[in-house]
Amino acid sequence: MALAVCYGLATLYLAFHALPRLRRPDPVQLAAATALATPSVAALSLIAERGGYHLLGYTPHMLALTVAHFHFAGFAAALVAGLVGRQARSGAAALTVPAGTLLVLGGYFVGDWAELAGSVVLTAGMWWVGWLAWRSFRGVFLLTGAVLVASMLLALSWAVGQATGLPHPSMELMIATHGVGNAFGFALCAVAALRRLDPL
C-alpha cells in the first residue's frame, strides 16, 4: 500500500506537467497530455485495490484491470498516437486514442453501450495509428500492427458481448491474450521503437 501511495504521488507530478499542454489546441499536445494524466487514474485505482476499497462501486478485481488499462490504453497508446501523429502529420490520428480512452472511461459510469462506443473509437484509432506507424517506419512496426489487429478485435468482441449478451471471451482469456498482447506486443515494442527512431 505504501508503495502504491508513493507511485500515486509520482503520477501527480506527471499530471501537473499535462496542464500546460491542455492550453494549446494542438492534437499532438492533447495526446501527450492524455499520456501524462492517465497514470494518475491508474494510481488511484491501484491505491484503492491495494486497500481493498470499492472505489466508485467497483470491486478490487475490476480496479486492478483499470490499473492495467490506464497504463497501456491510456499512457502508452496515447503517447504512441501523439508521436506517430506528429511524424505522419495527422492530428486526427493523434486525437483518436485519447478520445476513445475518455469514451471508454465515461462508459464505466454510463453503461455498456457507451463503453462499446468508446471501444469502437479506440479500436479504430489504434488501428489507424498502427497503420500510420507501419507506413512511416515500416518493418519495425510490422509486429505491433499485427498484434493490434488481433488484440483490439478481442476488445471489440468483449464490448459487444457485454452490451448485447452475445457470447464473448472470458475475463481470463482476455487477460491472457488482449492484455498480454497489448502490454508486450504493442506498448513495449512501440514505445521502444519510437524511442530509438524518433527520440524526444
Side-chain angles (χ1 to χ4, degrees):
M1 181 66 163
L3 290 176
V5 171
C6 290
Y7 178 64
L9 293 174
T11 64
L12 290 178
Y13 176 77
L14 288 178
F16 175 77
H17 285 283
L19 295 176
R21 297 173 185 269
L22 293 175
R23 299 192 191 108
R24 308 173 195 172
D26 174 64
V28 172
Q29 293 299 327
L30 291 174
T34 302
L36 290 168
T38 48
S40 61
V41 178
L44 180 62
S45 300
L46 179 62
I47 292 168
E49 185 267 336
R50 293 300 175 191
Y53 302 119
H54 287 237
L55 182 66
L56 300 175
Y58 290 99
T59 64
H61 178 68
M62 288 302 295
L63 292 172
L65 296 176
T66 302
V67 174
H69 274 105
F70 276 85
H71 279 108
F72 298 117
F75 169 74
L79 178 64
V80 171
L83 293 174
V84 170
R86 183 182 70 181
Q87 173 69 25
R89 297 182 180 179
S90 175
L95 280 180
T96 52
V97 171
T101 301
L102 291 175
L103 285 170
V104 170
L105 176 62
Y108 291 156
F109 305 102
V110 176
D112 289 335
W113 285 101
E115 189 175 346
L116 173 59
S119 297
V120 169
V121 172
L122 183 58
T123 297
M126 291 185 73
W127 283 348
W128 189 5
V129 167
W131 180 77
L132 287 175
W134 179 82
R135 191 184 70 175
S136 299
F137 301 111
R138 294 293 173 179
V140 293
F141 276 94
L142 183 61
L143 172 63
T144 298
V147 168
L148 279 179
V149 170
S151 67
M152 295 311 293
L153 277 175
L154 284 166
L156 277 180
S157 69
W158 167 267
V160 168
Q162 287 290 100
T164 64
L166 292 172
H168 57 282
S170 66
M171 183 70 73
E172 292 74 18
L173 181 61
M174 286 295 291
I175 292 170
T177 54
H178 168 79
V180 172
N182 273 352
F184 295 101
F186 166 68
L188 180 62
C189 291
V191 170
L194 283 169
R195 184 68 183 89
R196 181 178 178 184
L197 295 170
D198 188 23
L200 294 173

